[in-house]
Amino acid sequence: MDHLQLQECVKFMRRAIARFIYPQEFILNDKLFTTIDNQKRENSVLKLEVNILLSLIEKVNQLTKNGYEVLGIEKTEKGGEWVIIFSNWDYIYVGEWHGYYNDHVLSLAYTLKPDKKRLVIDDIQTTEFNKGYGSVAMKYLIEFAQKQKVEIISGWISPVDWDHINRLKKFYENHDFIVSLNHEAKRGSIKRVLVVN
């Protein structure tokens, strides 16, 4: 056994004897160090959240300066990612934050018919699937439609959607749409009747 190993062995034995003689002090000491470590972890999480929120505020300012209306900021249910929901004209956009900010990861185009009783979903485009972005956009679209006293939200499913038809059908059904599909023609329609107060 060399000199360094001997020192480590003596140190270990002293600690073991002290733990035996003063068990309460060692328990309190261990609890204190555990509490300090937990506090450090919580502080780093809070610091990250503050940095994310500051970046989101900066992006909100940029969006409003460029003529967009910011509809909300929230975390997605899937993945818990921060997103900004913003709009201009007949589009709802969902933007994602990852330490940098892309303009958007999803756009939902719609047309409010002149009678204002019907709203038609024209298109939903996204670069990432199954992250909850579509559900966030749909939530805001439905809220908008309800404020406008729209009675029906409808749309079409086209042949270009057919490679992901099962996912699309489930998405619309999860948002209380009736989905009608023509498998031979690879087309379909969606419809949701809103209760007007």
Side-chain angles (χ1 to χ4, degrees), residues 21-185:
I21 296 171
Y22 306 107
Q24 281 303 107
E25 286 78 2
F26 272 83
I27 290 170
L28 290 172
N29 193 40
D30 288 344
K31 285 182 181 179
L32 177 64
F33 280 115
T34 300
T35 302
I36 289 170
D37 287 343
N38 288 341
Q39 205 62 47
K40 285 179 182 177
R41 272 194 294 283
E42 286 177 26
N43 286 346
S44 68
V45 168
L46 288 174
K47 188 175 181 180
L48 177 63
E49 289 289 316
V50 166
N51 288 336
I52 290 171
L53 292 174
L54 289 173
S55 295
L56 288 170
I57 290 168
E58 181 181 319
K59 186 60 182 178
V60 165
N61 288 334
Q62 287 177 330
L63 289 167
T64 54
K65 284 179 186 174
N66 291 323
Y68 291 95
E69 178 185 359
V70 175
L71 305 175
I73 299 173
E74 58 184 75
K75 280 189 172 185
T76 60
E77 286 185 30
K78 291 181 181 178
E81 296 180 50
W82 284 102
V83 293
I84 296 177
I85 303 85
F86 55 103
S87 175
N88 73 341
W89 300 96
D90 297 332
Y91 282 87
I92 292 176
Y93 301 99
V94 177
E96 163 189 61
W97 186 89
H98 279 300
Y100 58 91
Y101 207 93
N102 293 328
D103 283 337
H104 65 278
V105 291
L106 181 137
S107 65
L108 187 157
Y110 64 90
T111 303
L112 182 59
K113 293 299 181 179
D115 64 6
K116 298 198 180 212
K117 292 185 181 205
R118 289 188 319 118
L119 185 147
V120 177
I121 297 173
D122 298 318
D123 196 15
I124 300 176
Q125 293 186 358
T126 187
T127 56
E128 299 183 38
F129 301 96
N130 296 319
K131 290 196 169 189
Y133 303 135
S135 293
V136 170
M138 188 61 72
K139 172 186 160 187
Y140 281 86
L141 180 73
I142 291 167
E143 286 176 7
F144 169 78
Q146 288 170 331
K147 287 177 188 172
Q148 298 295 317
K149 301 200 183 307
V150 167
E151 295 174 7
I152 296 173
I153 301 174
S154 63
W156 299 101
I157 296 173
S158 70
V160 298
D161 298 320
W162 219 255
D163 65 334
H164 55 278
I165 192 63
N166 292 333
R167 183 178 68 231
L168 198 57
K169 182 176 188 278
K170 183 179 175 189
F171 169 77
Y172 283 118
E173 288 175 344
N174 284 344
H175 294 284
D176 300 322
F177 282 82
I178 297 167
V179 180
S180 301
L181 299 174
N182 180 334
H183 290 276
E184 289 175 17

